[in-house]
Amino acid sequence: MDTQAYPMEFLYDGECAICRFDVAHLRRHDRHGRLRFIDISGAGFDPAPYGRSKAELLARITARRADGRIVEGPEVFRLALAANGLGWLVAPTRWPGLACITEASYRCFARHRVQLSRRFGGIFARLTPVCDEDVCQRPGSGS
Protein backbone atom coordinates (compact mmCIF):
# COMPACT_ATOMS: atom_id res chain seq x y z
CA MET A 1 0.00 0.00 0.00
CA ASP A 2 1.21 3.49 -0.85
CA THR A 3 1.58 4.96 2.65
CA GLN A 4 2.23 8.46 1.27
CA ALA A 5 -1.32 8.50 -0.08
CA TYR A 6 -3.02 8.35 3.31
CA PRO A 7 -4.77 9.95 4.95
CA MET A 8 -6.26 11.07 1.67
CA GLU A 9 -8.79 13.86 1.24
CA PHE A 10 -11.57 12.60 -1.02
CA LEU A 11 -13.43 15.54 -2.55
CA TYR A 12 -17.00 14.85 -3.63
CA ASP A 13 -20.21 16.59 -4.68
CA GLY A 14 -22.65 16.25 -1.80
CA GLU A 15 -25.51 17.32 -4.07
CA CYS A 16 -25.01 14.26 -6.27
CA ALA A 17 -26.93 11.17 -5.11
CA ILE A 18 -24.52 8.80 -6.87
CA CYS A 19 -21.56 10.54 -5.22
CA ARG A 20 -23.19 10.36 -1.77
CA PHE A 21 -23.83 6.65 -2.35
CA ASP A 22 -20.17 6.03 -3.22
CA VAL A 23 -18.91 8.08 -0.27
CA ALA A 24 -21.24 6.37 2.20
CA HIS A 25 -19.93 2.96 1.16
CA LEU A 26 -16.31 4.08 1.24
CA ARG A 27 -16.86 5.69 4.65
CA ARG A 28 -18.53 2.56 5.99
CA HIS A 29 -15.54 0.42 5.05
CA ASP A 30 -12.83 2.91 6.07
CA ARG A 31 -11.95 1.08 9.28
CA HIS A 32 -8.45 2.56 9.50
CA GLY A 33 -9.41 6.21 8.99
CA ARG A 34 -7.37 6.58 5.82
CA LEU A 35 -9.98 8.68 4.02
CA ARG A 36 -11.24 12.15 4.83
CA PHE A 37 -14.35 13.12 2.92
CA ILE A 38 -14.83 16.74 1.89
CA ASP A 39 -18.13 17.91 0.40
CA ILE A 40 -17.20 20.52 -2.18
CA SER A 41 -20.80 21.56 -2.77
CA GLY A 42 -21.06 23.26 0.61
CA ALA A 43 -21.18 27.06 0.82
CA GLY A 44 -18.05 27.24 2.99
CA PHE A 45 -15.84 25.12 0.75
CA ASP A 46 -12.68 26.89 -0.47
CA PRO A 47 -11.09 25.31 -3.57
CA ALA A 48 -7.90 27.41 -3.35
CA PRO A 49 -5.83 24.83 -1.38
CA TYR A 50 -6.42 22.35 -4.21
CA GLY A 51 -5.18 24.64 -6.99
CA ARG A 52 -8.39 24.27 -8.96
CA SER A 53 -11.67 26.12 -9.30
CA LYS A 54 -14.82 24.67 -7.82
CA ALA A 55 -16.08 24.03 -11.36
CA GLU A 56 -12.94 22.04 -12.16
CA LEU A 57 -13.34 20.00 -8.99
CA LEU A 58 -16.98 19.29 -9.81
CA ALA A 59 -16.04 18.16 -13.33
CA ARG A 60 -13.66 15.39 -12.27
CA ILE A 61 -13.32 13.44 -9.02
CA THR A 62 -10.29 14.76 -7.15
CA ALA A 63 -8.34 13.81 -4.05
CA ARG A 64 -5.29 15.10 -2.23
CA ARG A 65 -2.84 12.54 -0.93
CA ALA A 66 -1.04 12.91 2.40
CA ASP A 67 2.10 14.03 0.55
CA GLY A 68 0.09 16.89 -0.99
CA ARG A 69 -0.10 15.48 -4.50
CA ILE A 70 -3.43 15.87 -6.30
CA VAL A 71 -4.91 12.85 -8.06
CA GLU A 72 -7.93 12.80 -10.34
CA GLY A 73 -10.27 10.42 -12.10
CA PRO A 74 -10.19 6.66 -11.67
CA GLU A 75 -6.98 6.80 -9.62
CA VAL A 76 -8.97 8.43 -6.80
CA PHE A 77 -11.23 5.38 -6.63
CA ARG A 78 -8.27 3.01 -6.90
CA LEU A 79 -6.58 4.67 -3.91
CA ALA A 80 -9.83 4.89 -1.93
CA LEU A 81 -10.60 1.21 -2.45
CA ALA A 82 -7.00 0.28 -1.63
CA ALA A 83 -7.39 2.21 1.64
CA ASN A 84 -10.27 -0.13 2.45
CA GLY A 85 -8.34 -3.26 1.53
CA LEU A 86 -10.10 -3.66 -1.80
CA GLY A 87 -7.34 -2.50 -4.11
CA TRP A 88 -7.16 -5.94 -5.68
CA LEU A 89 -10.64 -5.35 -7.13
CA VAL A 90 -9.49 -2.39 -9.19
CA ALA A 91 -5.87 -3.41 -9.82
CA PRO A 92 -6.73 -4.69 -13.33
CA THR A 93 -7.93 -1.17 -14.25
CA ARG A 94 -4.24 -0.17 -14.31
CA TRP A 95 -3.42 -2.73 -17.01
CA PRO A 96 -2.63 -1.05 -20.35
CA GLY A 97 -5.78 -2.04 -22.26
CA LEU A 98 -8.16 -1.72 -19.34
CA ALA A 99 -6.65 1.58 -18.19
CA CYS A 100 -7.75 3.27 -21.43
CA ILE A 101 -11.24 1.78 -21.18
CA THR A 102 -11.51 2.75 -17.51
CA GLU A 103 -10.48 6.35 -18.20
CA ALA A 104 -12.84 6.68 -21.18
CA SER A 105 -15.71 5.18 -19.18
CA TYR A 106 -15.02 7.51 -16.27
CA ARG A 107 -14.91 10.58 -18.57
CA CYS A 108 -18.29 9.58 -20.01
CA PHE A 109 -19.76 9.04 -16.54
CA ALA A 110 -18.33 12.34 -15.23
CA ARG A 111 -19.79 14.22 -18.18
CA HIS A 112 -23.27 12.82 -17.49
CA ARG A 113 -23.07 12.44 -13.69
CA VAL A 114 -25.53 15.22 -12.88
CA GLN A 115 -28.17 13.95 -15.31
CA LEU A 116 -27.71 10.35 -14.12
CA SER A 117 -28.02 11.47 -10.53
CA ARG A 118 -31.23 13.34 -11.27
CA ARG A 119 -32.70 10.41 -13.15
CA PHE A 120 -31.60 7.60 -10.81
CA GLY A 121 -30.96 9.56 -7.62
CA GLY A 122 -33.99 8.12 -5.85
CA ILE A 123 -32.69 4.59 -6.29
CA PHE A 124 -29.27 5.56 -4.95
CA ALA A 125 -30.82 7.50 -2.07
CA ARG A 126 -32.72 4.38 -0.97
CA LEU A 127 -29.55 2.29 -1.14
CA THR A 128 -27.21 4.79 0.52
CA PRO A 129 -26.18 3.87 4.06
CA VAL A 130 -26.98 6.53 6.62
CA CYS A 131 -23.77 7.67 8.31
CA ASP A 132 -23.56 9.61 11.54
CA GLU A 133 -20.00 10.38 12.63
CA ASP A 134 -18.16 7.11 11.98
CA VAL A 135 -21.18 4.82 12.29
CA CYS A 136 -23.10 3.78 9.19
CA GLN A 137 -26.19 1.65 8.82
CA ARG A 138 -28.21 0.42 5.90
CA PRO A 139 -31.39 2.35 5.06
CA GLY A 140 -34.41 0.92 6.82
CA SER A 141 -32.34 -1.28 9.15
CA GLY A 142 -33.35 0.73 12.19
CA SER A 143 -30.17 -0.28 14.00
Side-chain angles (χ1 to χ4, degrees):
M1 178 176 297
D2 182 357
T3 57
Q4 293 181 338
Y6 309 106
M8 185 177 80
E9 295 175 346
F10 187 103
L11 284 64
Y12 72 99
D13 179 1
E15 293 180 1
C16 166
I18 296 170
C19 304
R20 288 191 311 268
F21 174 82
D22 288 340
V23 165
H25 283 277
L26 288 169
R27 181 178 279 141
R28 193 169 121 227
H29 295 287
D30 185 24
R31 293 178 179 92
H32 302 290
R34 293 186 178 125
L35 302 173
R36 294 187 180 140
F37 299 95
I38 299 171
D39 180 358
I40 64 175
S41 66
F45 174 74
D46 178 14
Y50 302 97
R52 286 155 174 75
S53 69
K54 190 171 180 176
E56 289 171 316
L57 293 172
L58 285 168
R60 190 163 168 84
I61 189 75
T62 306
R64 183 167 55 184
R65 297 162 38 118
D67 64 7
R69 288 194 300 167
I70 299 292
V71 292
E72 298 179 326
E75 186 63 13
V76 172
F77 293 105
R78 290 182 193 113
L79 289 170
L81 289 167
N84 290 338
L86 300 171
W88 60 273
L89 283 173
V90 291
T93 67
R94 285 192 172 108
W95 298 349
L98 287 179
C100 292
I101 294 169
T102 300
E103 181 61 36
S105 298
Y106 174 76
R107 280 195 313 269
C108 181
F109 167 77
R111 191 171 26 257
H112 301 288
R113 170 183 64 82
V114 173
Q115 297 90 333
L116 289 168
S117 190
R118 282 188 198 129
R119 182 166 185 142
F120 300 107
I123 295 167
F124 284 96
R126 286 190 296 278
L127 297 174
T128 302
V130 178
C131 298
D132 181 25
E133 300 283 323
D134 292 330
V135 178
C136 297
Q137 61 187 21
R138 294 188 188 275
S141 68
S143 56

